[in-house]
Amino acid sequence: MLTTRFVDGAPNWLDLATPDMNGAQAFYRDLFGWEYRLAGPDAGGYGMFRLNDKVVAGGMTVDPDQGPPAWSIFFQSSDADATAQAAEDAGGTVRFKPMDVMDQGRMAVLADQAGTPFGVWQPAANKGLDTVNEKGALCWTELYTPDVEAATGFFASVLGWSIEQMPFSGGTYTIASPAGGGEDSGFCGMMPLSADPRASTPYWLPYFAVPDADATRGRVQELGGRALGTAVDIQDVGRITQLADPYGARFAVLTPSER
């Protein structure tokens, strides 16, 4: 499971690129109760989404020619430069070279062997998200990729992930954990891209915890977003549904099973 006791290879940040930050602020405030605050005059327009005064994500306005609206997931690295080199060595690419973000940390944006972007964050003053696995916060991540086996090899090499196969109705689900993480330390699932008939390119999907996935799905549509398929029950996991905000950024929500 996700935790804020961040270790190398695990998700420690996510942010939203959107063409309309004012509209995105209103959408996520109504949906999850988030409030958005700019990070300061030196942050280039970047800001933080907060829930109960705890940071749950970052975000900024991005022009359409800079890329499509999307959520990006960042994984912890104690050496962003070495991780960027490892990604190149494993057949990936470096989209944005490692750079210092004031005194907050060092970041890079990379892409895996299939061209799927992801970030790495080397913490300094900013250790990562303040909260996960709470209502309205990040609770899972998922990669849709054309070659699950190749992706597992790439991320095992670059981020040190441990991989296991979990059976479920209809097949198996590939789960990633930090190196030496042990039981129940999984934070990421991998799915073949063919499992999403709407998608033509690979992508990362963040999940947020909610008390009622069906109600959230309905509210997204009322607020101008889209429901991407129906809500689905996953045994021993919960009820999930995939969604998109009004600008096209994909995400999913999960109502966990009672245990």
Side-chain angles (χ1 to χ4, degrees), residues 117-192:
F118 67 97
V120 295
W121 180 253
Q122 178 182 331
N126 184 341
K127 305 302 182 184
L129 301 174
D130 288 337
T131 185
V132 295
N133 283 332
E134 301 292 339
K135 186 180 88 170
L138 183 70
C139 64
W140 189 249
T141 66
E142 204 163 60
L143 173 64
Y144 283 77
T145 178
D147 189 333
V148 171
E149 184 176 358
T152 59
F154 175 88
F155 286 104
S157 174
V158 175
L159 295 177
W161 289 359
S162 297
I163 305 295
E164 63 178 322
Q165 303 295 326
M166 297 292 292
F168 77 104
S169 58
T172 59
Y173 188 55
T174 302
I175 294 179
S177 305
E183 188 177 358
D184 293 331
S185 65
F187 52 70
C188 167
M190 296 189 191
M191 295 285 288

Side-chain angles (χ1 to χ4, degrees), residues 9-169:
N12 65 347
W13 193 256
L14 81 160
D15 63 25
L16 174 68
T18 180
D20 184 347
M21 182 50 74
N22 288 333
Q25 286 179 57
F27 174 83
Y28 290 104
R29 181 176 59 245
D30 285 345
L31 190 65
F32 295 138
W34 294 356
E35 296 296 335
Y36 182 78
R37 301 179 196 169
L38 288 171
D42 298 326
Y46 194 88
M48 312 294 184
F49 289 104
R50 295 174 180 267
L51 181 63
N52 300 323
D53 208 32
K54 294 181 178 180
V55 174
V56 291
M60 69 181 300
T61 303
V62 175
D63 292 333
D65 59 357
Q66 295 177 287
W71 281 101
S72 297
I73 300 170
F74 288 72
F75 300 91
Q76 179 163 300
S77 169
S78 56
D79 188 335
D81 295 81
T83 302
Q85 184 60 58
E88 288 190 308
D89 293 344
T93 56
V94 176
R95 297 286 184 91
F96 293 98
K97 294 180 179 180
M99 60 175 286
D100 290 325
V101 182
M102 298 177 286
D103 64 343
Q104 298 298 295
R106 190 165 176 81
M107 64 158 287
V109 177
L110 314 174
D112 65 16
Q113 82 297 337
T116 321
F118 67 97
V120 295
W121 180 253
Q122 178 182 331
N126 184 341
K127 305 302 182 184
L129 301 174
D130 288 337
T131 185
V132 295
N133 283 332
E134 301 292 339
K135 186 180 88 170
L138 183 70
C139 64
W140 189 249
T141 66
E142 204 163 60
L143 173 64
Y144 283 77
T145 178
D147 189 333
V148 171
E149 184 176 358
T152 59
F154 175 88
F155 286 104
S157 174
V158 175
L159 295 177
W161 289 359
S162 297
I163 305 295
E164 63 178 322
Q165 303 295 326
M166 297 292 292
F168 77 104
S169 58

Side-chain angles (χ1 to χ4, degrees), residues 222-233:
E222 292 172 357
L223 294 170
R226 289 183 295 135
L228 305 177
T230 59
V232 177
D233 288 312

